[in-house]
Amino acid sequence: MSTEPAARPVLHQELTLSYDYAIGEVAGTFFDGLRDGKILASTCSASDLAYLPPRAYCERSFEPCDGWTEAGEEGVIEASTVVVRGFEGKRPTPVAIAFVRLDGVDSAIANYVDGVDCSDIDAAVASIAPGTRVRVAFAEEREGRITDFSFELLDA
Amino acid sequence: MTDPVGVISTFQTRFGSRHPDVTYVEQAQQAAVGALHAAGMRPDDIDAVVYCMAPTFFMGVSDADQWAVDHVFAAGKPFFRIHTGGSTGGSAVHAALGLLRSRMFRSVLVVGAERLNETADAQEILNLTFDAFYERDMPLSTNTSVALMASRYLQRHGLTERDLARAPVRQRRSALKNPYAHLKGEITVDDVLESPLIAHPLKLYDVCPRSSGSAAMILGDAETIDAFQPRPAFINGFSSVSDTYWLGDRLSDEADLDLGEMEIAAVTARECFGRAGITDPFGEIQVAELYDPYSLIGYLQLEQLGFCAGGEAPRLDAEGTWDLHGGGVAVNPSGGTLCTNPIAITGLVRAIEAANQVMGTAGELQATGVRNTIATAIGGMAQFTNVTLFGDDHRDTQEPTR
Amino acid sequence: MPRSRPTVHVLGVALADAAQRRDDVRLEELAYRTARAALDDAGVRRDELDNITLGASDELDGRPISSMLLAAPSGGYLKDEIRVTNSGATALGLAVARHLSGDFGLGLVASWCKPSKTDVPTVMNSRWEPFFHRDLGLDAAVAEGLFAQAVSAAHDLQEDELHQRTHDAMRRARENPRAVERPVASPEEIASSGHVSTPVRSRHVAEQSDGAACLVLASDAWMAGHPEHRAIATIPGVGWSTDSYRLDRERLGATASATAAWAAALRMAGGDAPVDVVELETPTIFHEAALTRVLPIGVARVSPSGGTFAQNPLTAAGLVGVVEAVLQVSGRAGPVQVPDVRRAVAHSSNGFAHQGSVVTVVDAAERLAA
């Protein structure tokens, strides 16, 4: 048989599957906190680490996370990007996204960064460079999802 | 001379329809922590991690293993996921065996989790395993395919639906002693016959549930065994065989291996027993943990694996031959897959139960005088089968025979 | 008595004809033709095989348990066949272990991917866990943007270098008859291409393509029992490692899975032979810029095949790199042949933002006799 590409029709199918993901106790506590306008990090007394997103078990001490602490309202950008193309997220592009380590927490959590003027990409990138401090902004209407909050630049 | 590989520890969670208190990865973590604690090991004692996950379409996160990396303490370690459908757990144990025998690693954690009930579209997903071009538009499913096999089996051997019904009766009773089993209880043959018809001759109680849960097993080489486990279960035999995908090819007179009789199980077992030097399975093997998502499938395997003649397995069940203390071979004392089926790890649970029997840690399910046990796993509409043989001492692997 | 350092032998290899779209073949036809070609290259028959290792992704293949359909076309009919999902290169890692275990003699490793038939962005979005990341709409491009930013900071990468590297990779790919035929963009064109997810520009991204790769492997014992067969290469070492799922600066900038996999593979291979060629799996040019800095590649030529810019069949891309490495050490790389290659190393990455890595050491077969 020849391997010459031939013009063959394709069989088009679209699959839509729906899911109800169990949130569980740990993430459930976090999302309850969001509704109350708090960002709750799980803590491990053995390692003295605070985790966001929260987790049940401390991978470093090999002990269960045994407490909760409220994360600071501000934090520092660990990693960031301005998404320009082909993005099907909750917000239209271009849009800024960052992983932020909130004060008092030892790991970073992702969200959109508000107040970034993306009309000038270079300026936008510079404004969210790693090391930049941001604050948490809660949505007026909260539904217990990650989109209940975002980050905003301190000088915005 | 083959290097010894042994099971150091095992762990499984209680299985059920849902575990709303934890996320998928937290569930996987429970198993990893459980197996490490049972072994007296810490994450640093593990050289490599093998993750079990079958189709992710049920739980809804593609490459769920990558999400679980931190939770199963695999960050910074060699890690991969095995996926051979329903036979995944058995394949993962075989992968771990290869990693250890290669001398590249000394200890391997096999771990996985499954949750099947977070999508309402499970039947649609199962249908997707059939071919998009030729088969997907028909109501083909595992249920209907096994029903076809069952009709043929009953007719050929002069058996009735009543004969098949003994399997769920025996195994749900056995599962009463298994704290981890999903379905359990005292039911009668009539209860099975009166349960809702799925696809003639299969009734609801002839069919496994869809289960959620997690499981883990730690395996090690001779040095790790010396350090952590005075009474390991050695892997003395294994085999795995894949058949063609096309059902029609396995149902014709031209078929190399007939699907209706599940002849693939015989080929697979011969190779495993050949490696392990087993010549009389009924006389030499004390416990069989068989992957039996349908009442028919356990009986077919007993016959194909050489524990009895064709058509005899249901009759011997009536005589108590497959009971835990029935004097024959204890078949699925855990309740088997008929009582608990978390697809991605069902094969691993079979291996765990078989290893526990050798290690003497099977609790109320413990058989007496155990020297050899087997675990089987089946995937992809009886397309993939594997067998693993656990023994109480290390025996050199023989050349396999087909 | 210590046994001599065992190795795994490569008897034959094959690559599918790479193209942006292969609508002329079904997935299993692509797999079959590649497996068939590898067996022919090795001069062995399918019935001589005792094991098959597959590297394939259900989600990218668009079907649950894709190995149901693809095991037999890959030579797996009535064989011991096993599959890993992470990548074709990961499958090779497992296959090497199995051939060293004493339990297997002659096997085939196969991987494929047809991104053209799949909604890849949707699959990538569904790879994120649903609670903290997917709900924001994150996808692979976001992960690559974060990775690119972190490695740029860690290594002080300048845009000019990235544009030049991209241009050079495209030029090497242009020379490779096994690459997808594409025009070469100038550094200026690359510099003016729009951002996908900063700092990654569209021309910094290795375009996806349909493809497949296969290798036929044999153990020491099988080779000893079959003196009529000659290896075209050996694989004395393979290593793999996985990083955290977290995407903080430390994890992103460290490319730790690559260095860990490299160290494991080279330690296993032993000896201090210089590496003449490295084939890198680089979803973006930032990967190449970072990996050439963190991996001790010495004077090795980097991705003479054009690497991922020659072809990028996602799951199979790393195994394509292994085949290119085998072609280099066996003097069969054609127009992209580097002279006198004794040792080539193939790197593969998998998961978001370079989470996992596999490194395979490939030596020229004559090394055994030396």
Side-chain angles (χ1 to χ4, degrees):
Chain A
M1 284 199 288
S2 155
T3 56
E4 282 298 301
R8 294 283 186 203
V10 296
L11 175 67
H12 180 79
Q13 294 197 4
E14 289 191 17
L15 311 173
T16 306
L17 303 170
S18 63
Y19 298 93
D20 290 311
Y21 298 106
I23 287 175
E25 291 295 330
V26 175
T29 301
F30 172 84
F31 287 114
D32 287 349
L34 286 189
R35 277 205 188 84
D36 299 336
K38 295 176 188 170
I39 294 182
L40 298 175
S42 65
T43 57
C44 171
S45 56
S47 64
D48 211 23
L49 292 170
Y51 287 106
L52 278 177
R55 59 211 69 182
Y57 219 90
C58 175
E59 286 113 30
R60 281 174 261 184
S61 70
F62 194 50
E63 294 291 340
C65 285
D66 49 3
W68 291 92
T69 186
E70 192 172 340
E73 291 169 4
E74 294 184 9
V76 61
I77 291 179
E78 287 273 327
S80 59
T81 184
V82 177
V83 194
V84 181
R85 279 201 214 171
F87 181 68
E88 311 247 335
K90 294 282 157 105
R91 298 188 184 186
T93 55
V95 65
I97 286 173
F99 274 72
V100 170
R101 189 163 47 79
L102 292 171
D103 296 343
V105 178
D106 298 289
S107 58
I109 188 166
N111 222 309
Y112 296 106
V113 187
D114 293 329
V116 177
D117 177 6
C118 292
S119 62
D120 178 343
I121 297 287
D122 290 341
V125 168
S127 74
I128 56 168
T132 306
R133 287 191 65 80
V134 293
R135 77 166 74 86
V136 171
F138 283 99
E140 295 277 317
E141 301 284 320
R142 297 191 289 272
E143 47 178 352
R145 299 184 83 137
I146 195 71
T147 43
D148 283 357
F149 78 97
S150 54
F151 303 116
E152 60 183 25
L153 299 173
L154 286 187
D155 56 0
Chain B
M1 285 275 286
T2 47
D3 290 354
V5 168
V7 178
I8 307 290
S9 73
T10 66
F11 185 86
Q12 53 185 313
T13 59
R14 284 172 195 273
F15 293 95
S17 291
R18 290 169 189 274
H19 287 83
D21 53 325
V22 286
T23 61
Y24 172 81
V25 287
E26 290 165 359
Q27 209 166 357
Q29 186 165 58
Q30 290 175 347
V33 169
L36 285 164
H37 281 163
M41 298 171 103
R42 290 177 60 84
D44 287 350
D45 295 318
I46 298 296
D47 285 353
V49 179
V50 174
Y51 197 85
C52 299
M53 188 60 199
T56 61
F57 296 82
F58 295 106
M59 56 75 73
V61 180
S62 303
D63 291 348
D65 53 307
Q66 308 269 35
W67 178 24
V69 161
D70 299 274
H71 293 81
V72 300
F73 312 102
K77 292 187 196 301
F79 172 89
F80 59 63
R81 165 184 162 211
I82 294 290
H83 169 19
T84 60
S87 50
T88 296
S91 300
V93 171
H94 293 187
L97 176 72
L99 295 184
L100 291 162
R101 283 236 174 111
S102 74
R103 302 186 178 179
M104 292 168 70
F105 306 102
R106 291 178 165 167
S107 57
V108 176
L109 168 67
V110 178
V111 60
E114 179 69 281
R115 39 180 55 191
L116 296 164
N117 293 309
E118 292 191 343
T119 178
D121 303 320
Q123 282 307 321
E124 189 178 338
I125 294 163
L126 283 170
N127 180 250
L128 292 179
T129 63
F130 292 90
D131 187 73
F133 295 82
Y134 300 120
E135 294 177 339
R136 221 176 254 180
D137 295 335
M138 286 172 280
L140 278 171
S141 72
T142 323
N143 285 345
T144 52
S145 304
V146 175
L148 292 169
M149 293 165 64
S151 303
R152 246 170 64 143
Y153 174 81
L154 295 180
Q155 187 191 29
R156 178 173 306 184
H157 298 295
L159 296 166
T160 69
E161 298 159 53
R162 189 164 282 274
D163 293 306
L164 287 185
R166 292 197 187 96
V169 170
R170 171 177 41 81
Q171 293 189 190
R172 287 201 191 190
R173 182 183 299 139
S174 300
L176 284 167
K177 293 181 179 172
N178 179 357
Y180 312 112
H182 183 179
L183 297 182
K184 54 183 83 175
E186 289 288 350
I187 56 169
T188 65
V189 164
D190 287 331
D191 291 338
V192 179
L193 296 178
E194 287 160 19
S195 65
L197 186 67
I198 299 293
H200 185 80
L202 299 179
K203 269 75 62 182
L204 184 64
Y205 291 4
D206 286 305
V207 184
C208 62
R210 289 205 298 267
S211 310
S212 161
S214 59
M217 172 184 276
I218 297 172
L219 299 101
D221 69 355
E223 192 174 313
T224 307
I225 290 167
D226 282 348
F228 291 100
Q229 179 53 268
R231 192 179 170 186
F234 291 96
I235 296 183
N236 287 331
F238 74 97
S239 66
S240 178
V241 177
S242 296
D243 206 336
T244 178
Y245 164 74
W246 301 102
L247 290 176
D249 292 14
R250 295 188 265 155
L251 289 167
S252 76
D253 289 344
E254 294 299 310
D256 285 328
L257 299 175
D258 184 80
L259 173 66
E261 295 285 323
M262 256 184 72
E263 288 175 351
I264 188 174
V267 173
T268 315
R270 258 202 309 281
E271 190 166 320
C272 175
F273 295 161
R275 280 193 169 114
I278 296 279
T279 54
D280 171 19
F282 189 90
E284 295 176 79
I285 294 167
Q286 289 76 44
V287 181
E289 279 284 345
L290 306 177
Y291 191 103
D292 62 339
Y294 298 87
S295 50
L296 170 75
I297 303 298
Y299 289 142
L300 274 180
Q301 284 178 83
L302 283 168
E303 295 164 11
Q304 292 295 333
L305 268 56
F307 285 95
C308 62
E312 285 300 308
R315 294 191 179 106
L316 290 169
D317 206 354
E319 296 169 14
T321 306
W322 315 127
D323 289 355
L324 174 54
H325 301 296
V329 176
V331 175
N332 291 336
S334 65
T337 310
L338 269 179
C339 296
T340 311
N341 191 8
I343 297 173
I345 53 169
T346 303
L348 180 60
V349 172
R350 299 279 73 72
I352 286 170
E353 294 288 354
N356 287 351
Q357 291 282 354
V358 171
M359 298 163 81
T361 57
E364 286 195 70
L365 311 175
Q366 183 67 50
T368 51
V370 177
R371 296 211 60 201
N372 296 302
T373 66
I374 57 161
T376 69
I378 304 176
M381 195 47 237
Q383 184 185 347
F384 309 134
T385 60
N386 59 58
V387 183
T388 311
L389 191 133
F390 299 90
D392 64 349
D393 60 359
H394 168 59
R395 275 154 256 155
D396 270 345
T397 304
Q398 323 273 311
E399 274 296 304
T401 47
R402 274 269 167 100
Chain C
M1 202 176 74
R3 63 182 184 186
S4 62
R5 190 180 284 274
T7 194
V8 172
H9 308 259
V10 182
L11 293 188
V13 295
L15 296 176
D17 292 340
Q20 205 79 24
R21 289 185 74 96
R22 286 291 306 267
D23 283 340
D24 57 316
V25 282
R26 280 174 53 126
L27 192 54
E28 71 268 36
E29 291 159 2
L30 192 72
Y32 167 73
R33 289 182 192 181
T34 314
R36 173 82 260 167
L39 290 170
D40 290 347
D41 190 48
V44 296
R45 298 185 317 275
R46 195 198 72 86
D47 60 13
E48 294 178 87
L49 300 173
D50 61 16
N51 75 98
I52 312 285
T53 313
L54 307 179
S57 157
D58 278 3
E59 295 87 357
L60 290 170
D61 288 348
R63 49 187 309 131
I65 326 183
S66 74
S67 55
M68 285 174 68
L69 180 63
L70 288 146
S74 305
Y77 180 62
L78 303 190
K79 301 292 181 189
D80 185 320
E81 170 268 321
I82 193 166
R83 169 166 72 132
V84 300
T85 57
N86 309 72
S87 72
T90 320
L92 181 77
L94 174 58
V96 166
R98 278 156 71 91
H99 284 86
L100 293 174
S101 71
D103 290 319
F104 295 100
L106 183 69
L108 187 137
V109 183
S111 187
W112 54 77
C113 199
K114 282 188 86 178
S116 71
K117 71 164 194 169
T118 308
D119 179 357
V120 175
T122 299
V123 172
M124 293 302 170
N125 178 250
S126 75
R127 282 184 173 181
W128 286 100
E129 59 76 39
F131 308 108
F132 302 100
H133 300 97
R134 194 196 301 167
D135 214 16
L136 298 167
L138 302 195
D139 58 13
V142 173
E144 302 300 12
L146 296 168
F147 173 80
Q149 181 197 52
V151 297
S152 293
H155 304 294
D156 193 24
L157 302 181
Q158 300 301 313
E159 283 224 289
D160 284 350
E161 177 194 333
L162 295 160
H163 305 328
Q164 188 64 45
R165 275 188 182 278
T166 310
H167 170 74
D168 292 345
M170 291 173 165
R171 239 182 25 204
R172 295 194 302 275
R174 182 79 193 162
E175 296 301 310
N176 181 356
R178 298 171 295 279
V180 177
E181 262 193 71
R182 293 194 188 97
V184 177
S186 68
E188 295 71 28
E189 286 170 315
I190 294 160
S192 61
S193 64
H195 282 107
V196 180
S197 184
T198 62
V200 180
R201 293 177 185 277
S202 60
R203 303 308 292 266
H204 292 149
V205 179
E207 285 186 68
Q208 295 160 12
S209 54
D210 294 350
C214 273
L215 290 90
V216 177
L217 304 181
S219 68
D220 283 337
W222 193 93
M223 294 302 290
H226 297 80
E228 72 279 16
H229 286 284
R230 289 202 50 207
I232 58 171
T234 64
I235 299 179
V238 60
W240 61 99
S241 185
T242 298
D243 264 352
S244 172
Y245 189 72
R246 291 180 294 116
L247 292 185
D248 51 40
R249 192 166 22 163
E250 183 191 349
R251 137 81 166 94
L252 289 167
T255 44
S257 72
T259 45
W262 180 284
L266 272 292
R267 190 170 55 242
M268 181 175 163
D272 50 4
V275 176
D276 302 310
V277 163
V278 289
E279 284 285 344
L280 304 176
E281 182 175 349
T282 58
T284 75
I285 201 67
F286 290 84
H287 292 73
E288 183 186 296
L291 291 167
T292 50
R293 285 168 165 83
V294 299
L295 298 177
I297 60 173
V299 298
R301 289 275 291 277
V302 175
S303 300
S305 71
T308 322
F309 285 82
Q311 54 167 313
N312 184 16
L314 305 173
T315 321
L319 199 62
V320 171
V322 176
V323 170
E324 289 287 351
V326 170
L327 295 176
Q328 286 288 347
V329 300
S330 55
R332 302 197 299 163
V336 296
Q337 181 69 50
V338 174
D340 302 323
V341 179
R342 307 285 304 169
R343 171 168 282 187
V345 174
H347 151 277
S348 176
S349 63
N350 59 78
F352 279 139
H354 204 282
Q355 187 183 2
S357 295
V358 184
V359 170
T360 309
V361 182
V362 183
D363 280 352
E366 294 79 12
R367 189 173 287 277
L368 277 183

